[in-house]
Amino acid sequence: MQYARQTQEALDRLDESLMRLRDMIKRGQNQEAIQYMEAGDLKERFSELQNMIILSQTNNLGARGTSQTGTF
């Protein structure tokens, strides 16, 4: 459950960043938009979500148990 909540929160933050990027492009702030994508919040939000997904695939932790305790 915690993974699902954390993932949803990360998706929400990414969505907010994408909306901010859209607004920059609409206002013609293309250089700022490029900076925002390459080194700003959008890059950070995407990296955060990507790391969560990678960790979930490499870690055998979940609702049924942990790697230390095994399954229930």
Side-chain angles (χ1 to χ4, degrees):
M1 287 298 248
Q2 186 176 3
Y3 173 73
R5 181 183 52 78
Q6 289 173 336
T7 304
Q8 186 59 52
E9 289 172 359
L11 282 170
D12 291 344
R13 287 189 295 272
L14 179 62
D15 189 47
E16 290 170 8
S17 293
L18 288 170
M19 288 178 61
R20 199 171 308 140
L21 175 65
R22 179 186 158 273
D23 290 343
M24 286 180 193
I25 294 170
K26 262 180 100 169
R27 290 189 304 262
Q29 298 172 326
N30 295 335
Q31 285 305 110
E32 292 88 347
I34 290 170
Q35 179 69 19
Y36 187 71
M37 288 188 295
E38 293 178 346
D41 281 349
L42 183 59
K43 181 178 179 178
E44 290 177 27
R45 301 296 182 235
F46 181 80
S47 294
E48 174 186 12
L49 185 57
Q50 187 177 36
N51 288 338
M52 289 176 68
I53 292 168
I54 290 169
L55 286 174
S56 75
Q57 294 172 348
T58 59
N59 238 343
N60 288 332
L61 304 179
R64 296 189 182 261
T66 67
S67 58
Q68 288 87 18
T69 61
T71 60
F72 287 30

